[in-house]
Amino acid sequence: MNKPPRKPDWLKVRLPSGPNYVRIDRYHRQQGLHSVCRSAACPNQGECWNQGTATFMILGDHCTRGCRFCNVQGGQPLPLNPEEPARVATAIAELQLRHAVITSVTRDDLDDGGAAQFAELTAEIRKRSPNCIIELLIPDLGGDPAALQTILDAAPDILGHNIETVPRLYPLVRAEADYQRSLQLLRDSACLAPQIPTKSGLMLGLGETVAEVEQVMRDLLAAGCRLLTLGQYLQPTREHQPVDRYVPPEEFASFRDFGRKLGFHHVEAGPLVRSSYHAAEQFQEADHGSQ
């Protein structure tokens, strides 16, 4: 077995701090909220929370799939909690967030993949926090266009779905997903609700080539996606897919420049970038780019 590469200095981060961070962290602990910021130990947690952005995970904490890059627990999920939309919306209001990102585990056990829960939560946030930007980062919904329409009818400000990696690596790290199905979801969203910007993200360092990443970027653009994040894959545990290499910051910068030249409204690229990193700024770029 090949020895994993040594983690470089550019992946080291300072411990999060700041008044907003302390306030949101305390609230999470008191209310027992599920957020990707905490559960995934996101390196940008402090920066995002201090800027009034946080990412919440709904539909429980057990995923029906077993992607080899993801640290979310697999297994049989619990039934949906009917109080979840109101509870999360109340948290967003009490925390006075200006940009809320809502994501979820994948729920292949549900007929609509959890679409109705996303839609209800969006409506609840609108009632309690009318000025908060709502970004939904959804699973592929099993490719069901009716489920996607349910979410789009709720009118989120941004609709995200991560493509995650290049198609060659899907059997290795994302075996139960389908590259073309994910592209089609983004394509359908851009067609059905062109006023809602679509967004996607990739992890680098899994063994992809530069040419493969550039082709995925072209595919996403052709599918109507205009916002993109590129970040370094980090192995959650030894049981997960190992890191093939650590992509240097200058290579991320090159991808960012390539994406801008292609026509993306905004490309956030860097070793520590995650889906919700600088999410508010990305929305502003999307809004300006559509004018």
Side-chain angles (χ1 to χ4, degrees):
M1 177 182 256
N2 292 332
K3 186 177 180 181
R6 186 175 180 179
K7 189 176 289 188
D9 289 341
W10 63 71
L11 285 172
K12 296 178 181 177
V13 294
R14 290 178 295 181
L15 290 173
S17 61
N20 248 0
Y21 169 81
V22 172
R23 181 174 62 87
I24 294 175
D25 183 60
R26 183 186 303 117
Y27 190 94
H28 271 70
R29 296 177 191 278
Q30 290 172 345
Q31 301 298 323
L33 290 173
H34 290 300
S35 80
V36 175
C37 314
R38 289 190 65 195
S39 63
C42 178
N44 308 306
Q45 188 178 143
E47 182 178 352
C48 290
W49 285 7
N50 276 316
Q51 292 177 350
T53 299
T55 302
F56 296 88
M57 187 169 71
I58 65 171
L59 306 181
D61 57 1
H62 281 72
C63 185
T64 54
R65 298 187 186 175
C67 298
R68 294 199 63 216
F69 65 84
C70 182
N71 199 33
V72 174
Q73 297 181 72
Q76 184 62 38
L78 294 172
L80 291 185
N81 181 355
E83 298 178 358
E84 182 178 63
R87 185 164 173 258
V88 174
T90 297
I92 289 169
E94 291 181 351
L95 289 171
Q96 300 179 328
L97 297 181
R98 66 188 187 102
H99 192 115
V101 183
I102 312 298
T103 189
S104 77
V105 294
T106 298
R107 292 294 300 264
D108 292 322
D109 60 312
L110 302 175
D111 289 341
D112 69 349
Q117 195 88 330
F118 271 105
E120 185 178 348
L121 174 53
T122 301
E124 292 289 343
I125 297 171
R126 292 269 185 246
K127 284 193 291 188
R128 292 167 172 77
S129 307
N131 295 321
C132 181
I133 301 301
I134 303 172
E135 178 175 334
L136 303 183
L137 179 58
I138 65 173
D140 64 26
L141 306 173
D144 181 3
L148 175 62
Q149 187 67 65
T150 295
I151 291 175
L152 294 175
D153 286 346
D157 295 293
I158 300 177
L159 194 287
H161 174 66
N162 285 342
I163 207 80
E164 303 293 12
T165 189
V166 302
R168 176 177 59 84
L169 296 177
Y170 264 57
L172 182 65
V173 299
R174 210 178 179 215
E176 296 170 86
D178 182 271
Y179 180 76
Q180 291 300 330
R181 183 168 63 201
S182 286
L183 276 181
Q184 189 62 48
L185 181 147
L186 291 165
R187 190 179 296 116
D188 288 346
S189 179
C191 180
L192 294 168
Q195 75 281 8
I196 300 175
T198 52
K199 176 178 174 179
S200 194
L202 286 99
M203 303 171 294
L204 304 186
L206 284 162
E208 69 288 328
T209 67
V210 169
E212 286 177 319
V213 175
E214 291 180 347
Q215 184 56 54
V216 170
M217 293 169 75
R218 293 188 187 96
D219 291 346
L220 287 170
L221 199 69
C225 181
R226 293 296 180 269
L227 300 173
L228 180 64
T229 60
L230 300 166
Q232 171 69 50
Y233 167 68
L234 297 174
Q235 185 182 27
T237 72
R238 291 185 178 181
E239 283 69 46
H240 288 79
Q241 182 67 23
V243 174
D244 179 75
R245 73 182 182 107
Y246 291 110
V247 180
E250 56 269 21
E251 192 169 330
F252 278 104
S254 179
F255 282 128
R256 182 190 62 227
D257 294 343
F258 178 79
R260 287 174 175 171
K261 289 176 183 177
L262 274 184
F264 283 96
H265 293 165
H266 187 91
V267 179
E268 195 72 43
L272 296 173
V273 167
R274 298 296 180 263
S275 296
S276 57
Y277 187 59
H278 288 174
E281 290 82 352
Q282 292 175 47
F283 175 72
Q284 292 172 2
E285 291 289 337
D287 195 39
H288 293 153
S290 62
Q291 295 175 0

